[in-house]
Amino acid sequence: MIRDSWNKLQSSQKILVLFILTLIFRAFFSLNIGLIDDEAYHWSWAKDLQLSYFDHPAMIAWLEYITTAIFGDTLLGVRLPGYLCFIGTIVLLYKLAKDLFDQGAALFVGFILLWSPFWGFGGYVASPEPPFMFCFVAAAYVFWQGVREDSKQWSLKKTWIWLGILMGLGLNSKFIIALLAPGFGLYLLMTPNRRKDLLSPWPWVGFLIATVLCSPIFIWNIMHDWPGFKYQFHDRHTGETFSVQRWLVFFGAQLLFYTPFLYVLLVLAFITSFLRRTEARWRFLFALTAPSLAVFYPQPFFADYKPHWSGAACTLLLIGVGYIWSQGLVWGHRQIVKAKSKVYTWGILGFFIPLMILSYSPFAYPWVPKAFRFFAPNKEWNTTWDFSNEFTGWKELGRFVNRRQREIHAESGKKPFLAALRYETTAQTTWGTEQPIYMLNSTRSHYTVMQDPEEMKNLEGQDAIVVTTEKYDADPLKYAKFDSCTPEELKTFRHGEHARTFKVYLCKNFQGIIY
């Protein structure tokens, strides 16, 4: 018995060391790779602090406001909140998986979150997702503590007060967390001896707490004629016709995100959660994931979608996947999956390892264009084909644009304002130049919502420097009225390899945006 305890302790120490080494690697990677478009977008929000924003609530901006105030407008300042939230999510999900099943399931979940292409690589991005996922998993963890059927069960008061706080904070991160609420209700209704909880005042106290905490979202939308709610709950879900093809593209994206073997296990976990709903742990997984899946899986038939919207529900289902992988799966007398099945283990690793090599290695060295020229010597390479290029070039662009602005000011006596045509380019140019950038486009984004009409009117008659990229190449004259626009080209390089091509236009006599 002493030997078994010692072996378990040694195993736990090895797991902890591996976890810490992985986090050190992730920290190193995060601090040496430039920002992607959405990261720059959300960082720019922190430069103009609001109660909420057009695309999402304000939590990520509030957190980055604090960290950039401490560490400056640096990669550390921008990415620290997401990094800490990602760690918190892994720790809570590990504890929840261990509570529901066993350590084998918990270790599987931890591995997937750290090293899968979807969760592992997505966890780097400084966006609303990391604080949202932390609140989502934390709320699920707290709910389980309140409904678990052993001596460790929390009181109703403690459970629902914490749920109110976490749901309120989560709503200030991303609205999708609201779909946990019907999941809580579904679990209570599916559990006869818990139905009386709905008659207690504490769930409604929790609802009130969440409502008060998310009041900044309502206040901001009231102040600006409800642009965020119109966009999130109407505009992005309308204007499309029924399409099976769009759903099949969505399904293909799910297979790509999760990889086929892991996706099969996710489907099996969801089916098992329904078939074994008499067990509290499986009923918990079914109730908390069914509402999200019921909303986001049919949606691509009828409207546009984002393939990661169902990701939070699938994150909880990973716990069931971990159990199936660790202990196997039997339906009736038929064994569906063997414990630690070699087919699924090597199937998952067979996708993960190449995908992670392909994901990480181009950031270390731009080998992709060299490989392309080797296999297709007669074809022209396009820099947008190497995704790692998108994280580069913005500081070089910023220095170039700032220098041209100073030169034009010195030559003409008039300082041109700086502009871009898309929210991504506007954000990244703000990051590169460290100056305010106007977005010249009739398409709505947080920039166009917050650009004061009077301020835009005052810009008329001035010259502008307008930035476009090879990814979003466009003629400024199609978006705004100028007398003329003359482009200059800026190319940036990585290890001698062409990485980016920016066009910097000098546009004369701004006369307004074209609507």
Side-chain angles (χ1 to χ4, degrees):
M1 184 174 180
I2 294 175
R3 179 176 292 178
D4 289 343
S5 298
W6 174 249
N7 289 337
K8 287 181 180 179
L9 178 62
Q10 285 186 314
S11 177
S12 298
Q13 288 175 337
K14 290 177 182 177
I15 291 167
L16 181 61
V17 168
L18 183 60
F19 178 64
I20 291 172
L21 289 175
T22 302
L23 293 182
I24 291 172
F25 168 78
R26 293 181 67 86
F28 175 82
F29 187 83
S30 294
L31 296 177
N32 286 277
I33 302 300
L35 300 184
I36 194 64
D37 295 344
D38 279 1
E39 291 182 294
Y41 186 43
H42 302 129
W43 161 81
S44 73
W45 293 358
K47 303 292 100 182
D48 178 30
L49 214 57
Q50 302 277 332
L51 293 174
S52 187
Y53 295 87
F54 172 72
D55 310 69
H56 292 292
M59 182 61 71
I60 187 62
W62 297 342
L63 294 174
E64 288 187 17
Y65 178 84
I66 296 170
T67 52
T68 54
I70 298 171
F71 300 106
D73 294 323
T74 61
L75 295 175
L76 175 61
V78 174
R79 287 191 170 133
L80 184 59
Y83 183 81
L84 294 177
C85 288
F86 185 71
I87 293 174
T89 300
I90 292 174
V91 170
L92 283 176
L93 206 61
Y94 177 90
K95 289 172 65 67
L96 181 57
K98 201 171 178 181
D99 273 358
L100 290 172
F101 295 108
D102 55 29
Q103 189 176 29
L107 290 175
F108 180 91
V109 170
F111 170 79
I112 296 296
L113 284 182
L114 285 168
W115 290 108
S116 70
F118 176 57
W119 285 285
F121 208 78
Y124 287 109
V125 180
S127 68
E129 273 71 18
F132 153 67
M133 281 304 305
F134 175 76
C135 291
F136 189 96
V137 171
Y141 176 82
V142 166
F143 182 73
W144 174 249
Q145 304 313 309
V147 299
R148 61 188 302 164
E149 299 174 349
D150 59 21
S151 60
K152 296 180 180 180
Q153 184 185 103
W154 288 10
S155 67
L156 272 178
K157 177 181 177 181
K158 180 180 178 181
T159 299
W160 287 98
I161 287 177
W162 271 109
L163 280 176
I165 294 170
L166 289 167
M167 291 294 286
L169 294 175
L171 285 167
N172 278 296
S173 303
K174 202 165 184 179
F175 295 136
I176 291 173
I177 198 172
L179 291 171
L180 271 180
F184 299 152
L186 181 60
Y187 180 91
L188 297 177
L189 292 173
M190 292 175 68
T191 311
N193 65 341
R194 305 296 316 195
R195 291 171 188 165
K196 64 183 184 296
D197 292 359
L198 292 171
L199 301 176
S200 160
W202 293 112
W204 311 108
V205 169
F207 177 81
L208 180 62
I209 292 171
T211 303
V212 170
L213 287 177
C214 72
S215 61
I217 304 168
F218 291 91
I219 295 170
W220 184 86
N221 273 277
I222 290 170
M223 291 170 59
H224 298 282
D225 193 28
W226 305 95
F229 283 0
K230 289 176 182 177
Y231 171 69
Q232 290 288 357
F233 301 115
H234 179 266
D235 295 353
R236 71 190 311 181
H237 305 292
T238 57
E240 301 285 351
T241 57
F242 181 85
S243 172
V244 174
Q245 182 181 359
R246 185 170 53 244
W247 190 90
L248 291 174
V249 173
F250 160 78
F251 179 70
Q254 300 302 289
L255 290 177
L256 179 64
F257 271 31
Y258 300 114
T259 71
F261 286 91
L262 183 58
Y263 188 78
V264 169
L265 290 177
L266 285 166
V267 172
L268 290 174
F270 182 70
I271 295 171
T272 302
S273 71
F274 177 76
L275 295 177
R276 296 186 181 176
R277 62 191 180 278
T278 54
E279 298 179 39
R281 57 188 183 177
W282 285 107
R283 184 165 64 252
F284 168 83
L285 291 180
F286 174 77
L288 267 61
T289 60
S292 290
L293 298 178
V295 169
F296 295 126
Y297 261 70
Q299 174 163 336
F301 282 120
F302 308 100
D304 201 5
Y305 64 91
K306 296 290 184 183
H308 64 278
W309 282 347
S310 60
C314 290
T315 301
L316 285 184
L317 282 177
L318 272 182
I319 297 173
V321 172
Y323 173 80
I324 292 172
W325 176 83
S326 175
Q327 302 297 325
L329 177 62
V330 176
W331 287 350
H333 299 290
R334 185 180 178 185
Q335 186 169 50
I336 306 300
V337 179
K338 294 180 180 179
K340 295 183 175 61
S341 163
K342 291 183 179 180
V343 172
Y344 282 97
T345 300
W346 288 107
I348 291 170
L349 290 176
F351 278 93
F352 276 17
I353 292 172
L355 285 174
M356 295 312 287
I357 290 172
L358 290 172
S359 297
Y360 281 101
S361 61
F363 290 93
Y365 185 79
W367 59 267
V368 180
K370 299 180 188 301
F372 177 85
R373 285 193 294 270
F374 178 81
F375 290 105
N378 298 321
K379 292 186 178 180
E380 185 178 355
W381 167 251
N382 187 327
T383 57
T384 61
W385 296 340
D386 185 346
F387 175 65
S388 65
N389 285 335
E390 293 188 28
F391 294 73
T392 69
W394 294 103
K395 288 299 182 182
E396 294 96 319
L397 172 74
R399 289 190 290 270
F400 180 85
V401 168
N402 287 339
R403 177 175 58 81
R404 288 294 294 130
Q405 186 185 46
R406 290 192 301 269
E407 290 172 350
I408 294 166
H409 189 194
E411 292 168 3
S412 66
K414 298 178 181 179
K415 185 178 180 179
F417 69 90
L418 306 182
L421 304 179
R422 293 181 58 102
Y423 85 85
E424 300 94 336
T425 317
T426 304
Q428 290 281 28
T429 308
T430 304
W431 172 255
T433 62
E434 300 179 14
Q435 292 195 62
I437 309 295
Y438 293 94
M439 180 174 163
L440 306 182
N441 198 317
S442 59
T443 302
R444 302 205 91 188
S445 75
H446 184 71
Y447 296 126
T448 57
V449 168
M450 299 307 295
Q451 285 173 179
D452 183 60
E454 185 176 345
E455 183 180 9
M456 297 303 293
K457 185 73 176 175
N458 291 336
L459 292 175
E460 292 184 11
Q462 298 183 37
D463 296 341
I465 293 176
V466 182
V467 174
T468 68
T469 71
E470 73 277 47
K471 183 178 180 181
Y472 302 118
D473 192 13
D475 183 351
L477 293 173
K478 293 182 179 179
Y479 294 87
K481 297 175 184 176
F482 292 98
D483 287 347
S484 64
C485 287
T486 305
E488 290 183 77
E489 196 171 80
L490 171 68
K491 291 184 177 181
T492 63
F493 296 82
R494 298 167 55 205
H495 299 279
E497 193 70 51
H498 178 207
R500 303 299 304 271
T501 301
F502 300 97
K503 284 185 180 177
V504 180
Y505 291 83
L506 176 58
C507 295
K508 298 286 189 176
N509 188 22
F510 175 64
Q511 299 153 50
I513 296 173
I514 297 173
Y515 290 94

